Structure formats: structure tokens, C-alpha cells
Amino acid sequence: MRRIRSVKRSVRFPVSATLLRRLALASIIANVAIVVTGGAVRLTASGLGCPTWPRCTDASYTTTQEMGVHGVIEFGNRLLTFAVGLIALAVVVGVLLHGARRRELLPLAVAVLFGIPLQAVIGGITVLTNLNPWVVGLHFLASMVVIAAAYALWRRVGEPDGPVVPTVPGPLRALALVTTVVSAAVLVIGTWVTGSGPHAGDHGAARNGLDPEAISQVHADGVFLLVGLSVALVFAFRAVGARRAERAAVVLVAVELGQGVIGFVQYFTHLPAVLVGAHMLGSCLVLLATLAVQWSTRERRPVQADREAATPPAEVPVPVGA
């Protein structure tokens, strides 16, 4: 009997780093997707397709035929939250079964898992406040935080164990951090622009009262600053021979330019829904590219490599008479 119990205790279902990283990547993709579908809810004026929360109507948790296509779109986005949550739960289970590094990875995985229902609650508050533009903006920014945590988990799973070592000089790490802060500020100001524009999510929803032209100009100025800092990072990383960081900065500049083109075209074409949706996807890509640059300024050195570097070379015996 003891032997059977010991065998049962020894049974494990280990999750490889490769599988765990794929799950973490799936979590990133799912959270980006729900941002895009949430944008579709607003851009189709379906924000109040389910006029209450957590129920869809006072009498039903699901959409009804009388609510039409707007109810289907809003309810479909709510259902997608469960799918995103299941992926996050799978990541947490994968971390627990991964074994040795679960203490290090578990906080990030749990943060993503609990961030999803928190984001859903904020979404519910947007419905209960009749799509208050400030709450809608907070709903979007909460998704950005969850995406950032999911990205951090994905990168950490792919790294070896060991101490963090900078790959660029201190001033360039500071410049990368400033770029990250400006990128976050641009995202925040972007929600103010959205809150002042025509796509309220419902024809009767209020706007934030900011002048659309003035706040759009502030947003554009922030984008110009962000692009300038990113271009500076490209040349600075190249000057110190940090090739990995340079490639990440080049990708960031390319994403920013693409996002900028979409932004300008949508502004001068009076904000067509398709371009606004593409701009929301671009916001997620800018965030991910910015985080990639931040990550490229450091690396983890394998513990084994550190030990080998610290071990003095073995003495070579000198032949007698040499």
C-alpha cells in the first residue's frame, strides 16, 4: 500500500517551458482581441445593446430577439471575456505544473487572471453609468495593464534562470524608460480624444466635454515626441553596438509610423469606424513594441554560465625539465 501511495505521489504532469510560453502568448493574443471586439461594440453603437449588468436585461442574462443586432454584439463581447479568462486560468495551471519556477512566474499569471474579471467589472460600470466616457477610457486602460502583465509573463517564461544584467549603458536605459512613460501617456491622452469624439458607443451617450481639435493636437504632439524618442533610441543603441535593442527600437518606430498614418487618415476622413478600430489594434501593438524595447535593455544570464565564468581555469601541469 505504501508503495502504491509513493507511486501516486511521484506522478507528475509537468508542463514544458515551450507549452507554457505558447499559453502565455495565447493570453496576449486573446487580451488584444477583446480590446478590438470591445472597440467594435462601441463603433457599432452597441455599447448599451445589453442595457444593464451583470444581466443583459432585467429578466435575462442573455440577449433577446427584441434587442436585435446590438444586443448580439454586446453579449458576444461579454462571452469572449469568459474565453479570455479560461486561457488565463490555463496559464495559471500551467505555471503550477511547471514546477521549479512557479514561485517566480505565479504572481504574473495570477495578476493576468484576476485582471480580467476586474476589467469586466469596469466594463459593467460603463454600462451602468450609460457609457460615461471617463469610465470607458479606464476600461481600455485596464486592458492595457492586463496585456502588459501577460507580455511580461511571456517574456519571463522564455528567459533562463539567473541574475538580470543590463545590455546597454545606464543613460540609454533611462532613455528607454522615458520612452515607455511617454508611450503610456500617449495611450491615456488617446482615451481623452476618443471620449470627445463621435463614437460614444450609443447615440445617447455623453461626451467628456473636451474640445476635439485641441485634445487631438495634444495627442499628436505626444506622438511626435514618442517617435522622436524612439528614433533616438535606434541611433543610440546602434552607437553602442546593442543589436538586439536596436532591432526592437526599429520595430517600435515602424509600428508608431503605421499607427500615426492611421491616426492622421482617420482624423482627416472624419473618423470612419474601420480606421478607428484599426487604430485601437495599433495602440495594443505600440504598447507591445514599447515593452519589447524595454525588455531588450536587459537580459538574464544563465546561472550555469555564471558559475563557469567564476570558476578559475584548471592548472595545466608543467612537464619536469621544461
Side-chain angles (χ1 to χ4, degrees), residues 178-202:
V178 170
T179 304
T180 301
V181 172
V182 172
S183 181
V186 167
L187 288 175
V188 173
I189 298 171
T191 65
W192 302 348
V193 175
T194 299
S196 69
H199 297 293
D202 185 81

Side-chain angles (χ1 to χ4, degrees), residues 73-150:
I73 293 173
E74 165 65 7
F75 182 69
N77 189 61
R78 293 187 183 189
L79 285 181
L80 185 58
T81 300
F82 290 98
V84 177
L86 286 175
I87 294 174
L89 179 60
V91 174
V92 171
V93 173
V95 168
L96 291 173
L97 295 177
H98 188 53
R101 297 170 60 193
R102 67 182 183 184
R103 288 185 179 180
E104 181 182 359
L105 300 175
L106 191 58
L108 281 172
V110 170
V112 174
L113 177 61
F114 282 93
I116 292 168
L118 176 61
Q119 189 257 17
V121 169
I122 298 173
I125 295 173
T126 67
V127 174
L128 297 177
T129 57
N130 293 318
L131 305 181
N132 181 291
W134 299 106
V135 182
V136 172
L138 180 61
H139 186 44
F140 171 79
L141 295 175
S143 293
M144 295 295 102
V145 173
V146 174
I147 290 172

